[in-house]
Amino acid sequence: MERIIFHIDVNNAFLSWTALDLLNQGYKYDIRDSYAAIGGDEKSRRGIVLAKSPKAKKCGVVTGETLYMARKKCPAIRFYPPNYKWYQQNSNALFQLLSKYSPDIEVASIDECYLDYGKVQKLYGDPYEFAKKIQKEILDTLGFTVNIGIANSKLCAKMASDFSKPYKIHTLYKHEIKEKMFPLPIDDLFGIGKQTSAKLHQLNIHTISDLAHADTAYLYKYFKNSAVKMVEWANGIDDSEVISEQTERKGISNTTTLPRDMSHTDEIFPILHAISENVSLSLRKKHKYASVVAVIFKDKFFKSYTHQRKLDNPTCSTSEIFEVSKELFLEGWKRDPIRLIGIRLDQLTDHVSYQASLFEDFEEKKENEKLDFVVDEIKKKFGEQVIGKASLAENKIKRKFD
DNA sequence: TCTGGGGTCCTAGGACCC
DNA sequence: TCTGGGGTCCTAGGACCC
């Protein structure tokens, strides 16, 4: 039986959600109807466009460009900072609403998901009519609009939801691929980014149709195994399933762009310590241990590089992760001014089975781990703003344990 | 006062083992 | 004096997504 998949995508998610936040606070107008964008702070060098209103888009403002450029194109534009906690709340509300209708929902990102409609079609009938119903329900109860793509595969549903916006429903069934998808530029195909599209254009492949009819063996020379997938996608072929149970995180990372380029460990290490606290806290919240620690660098030319190490024993300890990060930093750092620094934890496991090592004090390790949980509790109780005080407390407690 | 942050997946080369 | 190949683990980097 043919599958029917919905792809549900929030229109201008960050901007819509901030608009609602502002209206709740008593704002007299809806920033969705004005020249507006969500963007980071320019002074701390985070000034890029994360989302823009339709009016700003008409001026040529694009996601990812600097606020400086956006202002140049659209002098009337106003910028608003992102509020990720609020965004997550809206995201949760959306997925909760949808899960009333089907358990088969795959959360693809904060603002989009797939729904396996084929499995519930008997209950709700015609896909298009049902899409209209939930689209309206989302607007009425949550206050923002979504696009819905309907197709026989996840890939085509995703492509369909992107056709025209906002508050639209599009179908891209198998028999419609030729008419609706083939004429599109290759850059619009999901999975084809800047690098690949540039190469394809050089090979005289400009539309999805061109790629769909290209010779896989010829493309293999340039793209290796990706060539096969690319041609399949261009033909709308995608057998991947809607996976409803959330898969386990593979890694946890936290990076920060420094307020200015830095070259001294006296400045960088305290930041690395704060990052160690962040990532290890996330890890402990998930009751996980990490086997691989990586330090992420970005230099003033925007070139990133990493240096990583596999640990003998997985850890969730702030102090251990910090110590390893410092070592990795000194080993990996190319001694150039640093624009961004971060830590990534990989190969997460549920528990530790300590590898016997003569050089490690197991008791101390266990005590340190307990200590981390105590500090987490203190922070939870007294809030983020007393992190400084909590750090002091941490030192005092540590001495007590000694 | 130009260019975020958090993810996933894939590839390639070297080390190491059988 | 010459000199296999296959598998797995580890590290680094690149491409892509939102």
Side-chain angles (χ1 to χ4, degrees):
Chain A
M1 209 181 82
E2 201 72 83
R3 300 188 301 158
I4 299 178
I5 314 284
F6 282 17
H7 181 256
I8 298 145
D9 197 327
V10 180
N11 298 128
N12 292 324
F14 286 6
L15 191 96
S16 299
W17 290 335
T18 288
L20 292 177
D21 194 15
L22 294 173
L23 289 171
N24 286 343
Q25 286 172 34
Y27 243 58
K28 293 286 174 258
Y29 66 99
D30 192 323
I31 63 164
R32 283 172 286 195
D33 304 324
S34 67
Y35 296 98
I38 305 299
D41 176 28
E42 279 173 297
K43 281 181 203 144
S44 60
R45 309 200 296 181
R46 292 170 169 85
I48 64 157
V49 174
L50 299 163
K52 72 274 175 197
S53 68
K55 274 190 175 175
K57 187 179 179 176
K58 268 196 194 128
C59 295
V61 173
V62 294
T63 302
E65 76 181 338
T66 57
L67 302 194
Y68 174 80
M69 275 304 295
R71 203 182 288 113
K72 234 177 177 176
K73 291 177 182 173
C74 179
I77 199 166
R78 284 202 58 180
F79 299 123
Y80 301 86
N83 180 349
Y84 294 100
K85 268 191 183 163
W86 170 247
Y87 297 162
Q88 194 58 57
Q89 285 178 38
N90 281 271
S91 174
N92 293 344
L94 170 64
F95 300 139
Q96 207 176 335
L97 185 155
L98 292 171
S99 59
K100 283 195 306 189
Y101 297 104
S102 167
D104 292 300
I105 293 167
E106 176 177 334
V107 175
S109 75
I110 193 162
D111 67 349
E112 56 175 317
C113 69
Y114 298 93
L115 189 151
D116 195 333
Y117 191 70
K119 290 188 180 169
V120 290
Q121 189 175 9
K122 275 188 185 156
L123 293 170
Y124 307 121
D126 181 67
Y128 196 90
E129 290 307 313
F130 183 75
K132 269 193 349 205
K133 175 180 136 65
I134 53 173
Q135 199 183 32
K136 184 170 184 306
E137 185 183 342
I138 291 164
L139 179 58
D140 290 347
T141 62
L142 302 178
F144 54 84
T145 62
V146 300
N147 256 39
I148 301 182
I150 309 173
N152 303 120
S153 67
K154 280 166 68 177
L155 175 80
C156 290
K158 166 93 182 157
M159 294 296 295
S161 73
D162 213 33
F163 282 165
S164 70
K165 298 168 177 176
Y167 202 53
K168 294 272 176 16
I169 298 167
H170 300 283
T171 61
L172 181 55
Y173 292 120
K174 264 185 185 163
H175 65 273
E176 300 176 297
I177 288 173
K178 216 172 150 182
E179 169 209 343
K180 292 187 178 178
M181 195 169 97
F182 275 8
L184 297 176
I186 195 67
D187 312 66
D188 288 0
L189 183 61
F190 182 77
I192 303 293
K194 253 188 153 184
Q195 306 296 322
T196 309
S197 89
K199 275 200 219 169
L200 287 169
H201 284 300
Q202 275 183 8
L203 297 172
N204 217 19
I205 293 171
H206 306 294
T207 65
I208 293 182
S209 175
D210 291 342
L211 181 57
H213 298 106
D215 176 22
T216 308
Y218 169 68
L219 291 182
Y220 189 87
K221 283 192 286 192
Y222 301 93
F223 302 102
K224 295 291 168 63
N225 292 331
S226 325
V228 183
K229 271 270 159 274
M230 272 166 42
V231 174
E232 277 181 8
W233 286 348
N235 283 287
I237 297 169
D238 168 34
D239 296 329
S240 66
E241 299 280 338
V242 174
I243 299 175
S244 51
E245 68 276 7
Q246 68 220 36
T247 47
E248 300 259 293
R249 274 251 171 298
K250 302 269 168 68
I252 291 169
S253 70
N254 182 218
T255 62
T256 190
T257 294
L258 304 170
R260 56 192 158 69
D261 294 347
M262 292 183 182
S263 305
H264 297 288
T265 52
D266 326 0
E267 290 186 298
I268 297 168
F269 280 179
I271 295 164
L272 206 53
H273 185 238
I275 292 170
S276 302
E277 286 189 322
N278 290 343
V279 290
S280 58
L281 178 61
S282 305
L283 199 59
R284 292 192 292 273
K285 274 187 184 163
K286 293 180 189 314
H287 297 100
K288 294 277 183 190
Y289 298 81
S291 301
V292 175
V293 179
V295 169
I296 301 162
F297 305 82
K298 191 187 277 183
D299 67 21
K300 61 179 175 183
F301 302 112
F302 268 73
K303 179 88 183 144
S304 345
Y305 54 98
T306 61
H307 185 52
Q308 69 179 60
R309 183 193 300 168
K310 180 158 174 139
L311 308 176
D312 291 331
N313 296 305
T315 184
C316 67
S317 146
T318 297
S319 59
E320 197 176 342
I321 288 168
F322 180 45
E323 290 306 316
V324 174
S325 298
K326 277 191 287 188
E327 289 172 22
L328 288 169
F329 180 90
L330 292 173
E331 286 168 14
W333 183 32
K334 295 178 181 167
R335 267 67 187 175
D336 44 7
I338 292 297
R339 179 186 174 86
L340 166 149
I341 191 76
I343 298 174
R344 197 184 62 245
L345 304 177
D346 277 313
Q347 290 188 30
L348 310 185
T349 56
D350 286 321
H351 39 71
V352 242
S353 51
Y354 282 110
Q355 200 82 42
S357 163
L358 291 172
F359 306 106
E360 278 183 306
D361 181 346
F362 300 129
E363 288 308 312
E364 191 190 325
K365 258 190 115 148
K366 267 194 241 161
E367 288 304 320
N368 266 330
E369 202 174 289
K370 269 190 220 161
L371 176 61
D372 279 329
F373 278 101
V374 170
V375 174
D376 292 349
E377 283 306 309
I378 292 172
K379 285 183 185 169
K380 215 161 105 189
K381 231 177 187 166
F382 298 105
E384 297 292 323
Q385 70 273 25
V386 296
I387 277 181
K389 284 182 193 169
S391 294
L392 288 178
E394 183 182 349
N395 286 333
K396 276 179 196 158
I397 294 165
K398 253 183 189 149
R399 270 183 236 118
K400 232 188 228 174
F401 272 81
D402 279 345

